[in-house]
């Protein structure tokens, strides 16, 4: 039988993106050899590095290459070097373009506390925490009508309004249903608890989220559903993080809550993510941490979030679950062995086991 070859679009991007992605490619190649398949990695530019070469952060060729792949592995995009560019040329355009261009409406952000790293949580006495945030990714205020106008009206205190800028939060029932369904499905595969987060006390779009969730809940009678306003949820995440299972929410609320949940685990450098579209189309996998330009090139980057993203890629886009398990176990064993990168080193850890990016990658490879 012919060996299975998976085509992967690889976008290292900016800052530490390319460094951590290299680590993942080594790990992916190793498991491919072990489990009898092959990878055809094709590299593409996106973000600031693409702007530097093409004057465009998101070249057509990159989207085309990604569309023709089985999955996309991304490092990170952005950095201070490109912060002053016009919004249409900023590196973030590439991310938003990939999400929209590949139809990646479901963003999965697990916030898992590794027990070896529990001291790193900024919260006291947190027990084991394993939250999955399911964030809607191609709708809402990120992609709604936006623009600027000028108003001659006066404010209540008599001062002129001047320039008005607006961004619109709008959601269709269809968009809400398809992401809620993902939330319910993932809850079914886990502890069967789903928290729907909205601002239904104020926003009409949120009221539609809540109505739609209430209707759908009868299709999933085993799932215990609760509803939280986003402000309350951000408080509950701090006070009782271990009680959450799956959180499903809109694009912007998910952006904010996933950073908060990530911080609670104390190991933002450890958190992977997946962005998925219609089954059968390529998903995109990337570490949650950004491009960290301050440590780029120093060997201090923690490659584990990218490596765990590669494991998600194997699991959710390629169906190679055994290889995915193998990678996740290797990362766990590396932590159990006391090995750390700079970001997750604590005063109690053995200084001789604080590793650079390449060194910890070798340790992980040795545990596969
Ligand atoms: C994220 C990031 C992006 C977002 C930015 C960089 C556009 O914060 O992936 O969470 O807001 O979605
Ligand atoms: Mg964010």
């Amino acid at each position: 039988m012919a060996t299975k070859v998976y085509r992967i679009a690889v976008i290292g991007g900016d800052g530490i993106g390319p460094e951590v992605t290299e680590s993942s490619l080594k790990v992916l190649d190793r498991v491919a050899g072990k489990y009898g398949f092959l990878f055809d990695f094709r590299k593409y530019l996106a973000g600031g590095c693409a702007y530097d070469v093409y004057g465009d952060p998101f070249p057509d060729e990159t989207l085309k290459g990604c569309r023709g792949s089985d999955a996309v592995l991304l490092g990170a995009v952005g950095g201070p070097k490109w912060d002053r560019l016009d919004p249409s040329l900023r590196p973030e355009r590439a991310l938003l373009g990939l999400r929209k261009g590949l139809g990646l409406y479901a963003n999965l952000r697990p916030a898992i506390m590794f027990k070896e790293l529990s001291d790193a949580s900024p919260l006291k006495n947190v027990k084991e925490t394993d939250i999955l945030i399911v964030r809607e990714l191609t709708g809402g205020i990120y992609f709604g009508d936006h623009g600027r106008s000028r108003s001659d009206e006066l404010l209540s205190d008599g001062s002129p309004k001047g320039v008005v800028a607006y961004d619109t939060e709008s959601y269709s029932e269809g968009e809400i249903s398809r992401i809620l369904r993902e939330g319910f499905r993932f809850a079914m595969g886990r502890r069967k608890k789903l928290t729907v987060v909205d601002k239904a006390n104020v926003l009409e779009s949120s009221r539609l989220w809540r109505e739609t969730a209430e209707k759908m809940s009868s299709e999933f009678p085993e799932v215990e559903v609760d509803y939280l306003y986003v402000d309350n949820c951000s408080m509950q995440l701090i006070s009782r993080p271990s009680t959450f299972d799956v959180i499903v929410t809109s694009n912007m609320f998910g952006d904010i809550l996933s950073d908060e949940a990530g911080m609670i685990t104390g190991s933002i450098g450890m958190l992977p993510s997946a962005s998925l579209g219609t089954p059968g189309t390529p998903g995109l996998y990337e570490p949650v941490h950004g491009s960290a330009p301050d440590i780029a090139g120093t060997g201090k980057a923690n490659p584990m979030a990218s490596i765990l993203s590669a494991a998600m890629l194997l699991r959710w886009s390629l169906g190679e679950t055994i290889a995915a398990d193998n990678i996740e176990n290797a990362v766990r064993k590396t932590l159990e062995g006391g090995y750390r990168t700079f970001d997750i080193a604590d005063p109690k850890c053995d200084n001789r086991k604080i590793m650079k990016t390449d060194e910890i990658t070798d340790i992980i490879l040795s545990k596969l």
Side-chain angles (χ1 to χ4, degrees):
M1 206 175 77
T3 307
K4 187 140 204 165
V5 182
Y6 296 116
R7 181 163 149 191
I8 309 296
V10 179
I11 301 177
D14 306 318
I16 61 169
E19 303 165 31
V20 297
T21 305
E22 273 318 306
S23 296
S24 289
L25 299 188
K26 288 186 199 158
V27 168
L28 283 171
D29 265 335
R30 181 67 62 88
V31 291
K34 185 167 169 188
Y35 295 103
F37 48 87
L38 284 171
F39 283 113
D40 172 8
F41 296 125
R42 312 247 178 131
K43 298 199 175 173
Y44 298 96
L45 292 181
C49 57
Y51 172 79
D52 288 346
V53 175
Y54 300 108
D56 177 358
F58 188 44
D60 290 345
E61 190 194 302
T62 298
L63 180 59
K64 237 173 94 196
C66 292
R67 282 196 174 132
S69 307
D70 293 306
V72 182
L73 184 68
L74 187 135
V77 297
K81 184 177 169 195
W82 304 282
D83 272 351
R84 285 164 181 281
L85 290 174
D86 183 80
S88 65
L89 297 173
R90 287 180 61 110
E92 290 80 2
R93 294 303 320 162
L95 263 188
L96 299 176
L98 278 165
R99 290 174 185 172
K100 202 66 176 178
L102 298 173
L104 305 171
Y105 59 85
N107 184 214
L108 310 179
R109 296 193 169 181
I112 297 172
M113 178 130 86
F114 294 86
K115 69 176 186 306
E116 291 77 14
L117 304 178
S118 60
D119 283 349
S121 172
L123 301 182
K124 280 180 285 180
N125 310 322
V126 243
K127 289 197 300 265
E128 243 165 75
T129 297
D130 179 355
I131 306 173
L132 176 67
I133 298 196
V134 178
R135 167 189 176 192
E136 199 290 327
L137 204 59
T138 50
I141 198 164
Y142 274 60
F143 293 96
D145 189 23
H146 57 91
R148 288 188 181 210
S149 61
R150 178 168 275 284
S151 170
D152 298 329
E153 288 169 20
L154 300 179
L155 297 173
S156 57
D157 65 352
S159 53
K161 276 193 174 172
V163 176
V164 180
Y166 59 94
D167 302 277
T168 318
E169 174 83 348
S170 135
Y171 268 111
S172 66
E173 207 181 346
E175 284 174 305
I176 299 170
S177 304
R178 72 178 174 180
I179 192 71
L180 284 174
R181 196 170 293 284
E182 298 291 341
F184 276 102
R185 282 210 194 108
F186 279 102
M188 281 301 290
R190 296 169 46 107
R191 302 194 302 282
K192 300 193 171 64
K193 283 186 63 179
L194 181 67
T195 305
V196 180
V197 176
D198 59 38
K199 187 72 187 172
N201 50 346
V202 179
L203 302 178
E204 196 54 37
S205 52
S206 283
R207 284 193 271 272
L208 186 58
W209 271 76
R210 205 170 269 220
E211 281 162 33
T212 313
E214 277 162 358
K215 276 189 216 148
M216 193 173 285
S217 63
S218 60
E219 286 176 46
F220 298 90
E222 284 174 60
V223 177
E224 182 196 324
V225 189
D226 63 347
Y227 299 88
L228 286 181
Y229 298 140
V230 62
D231 47 349
N232 187 19
C233 181
S234 73
M235 195 166 77
Q236 302 298 334
L237 271 173
I238 299 289
S239 68
R240 51 173 183 91
S242 315
T243 64
F244 285 89
D245 181 10
V246 179
I247 292 176
V248 64
T249 191
S250 65
N251 203 343
M252 185 153 75
F253 295 160
D255 178 43
I256 298 166
L257 293 178
S258 60
D259 268 24
E260 186 187 1
M263 192 65 220
I264 291 169
T265 69
S267 40
I268 193 95
M270 299 292 304
L271 301 178
S273 78
S275 301
L276 308 176
T278 314
T281 62
L284 179 139
Y285 300 82
E286 60 179 320
V288 165
H289 63 68
S291 58
D294 51 319
I295 57 161
T298 64
K300 286 191 171 178
N302 180 351
M304 289 188 260
S306 175
I307 291 171
L308 291 169
S309 301
M312 288 185 97
L313 181 157
L314 287 162
R315 188 181 304 285
W316 300 113
S317 281
L318 310 183
E320 298 285 357
T321 47
I322 298 173
D325 290 344
N326 188 219
I327 293 178
E328 286 167 1
N329 285 330
V331 169
R332 205 166 300 126
K333 282 189 212 148
T334 301
L335 292 177
E336 281 165 11
Y339 298 100
R340 299 287 184 269
T341 42
F342 293 84
D343 56 315
I344 51 172
D346 67 47
K348 281 183 293 178
C349 75
D350 179 348
N351 280 338
R352 287 162 307 179
K353 289 186 169 176
I354 302 178
M355 312 259 117
K356 292 196 142 194
T357 314
D358 287 350
E359 295 166 337
I360 201 133
T361 304
D362 286 341
I363 305 277
I364 294 168
L365 288 168
S366 74
K367 300 200 181 288
L368 283 168

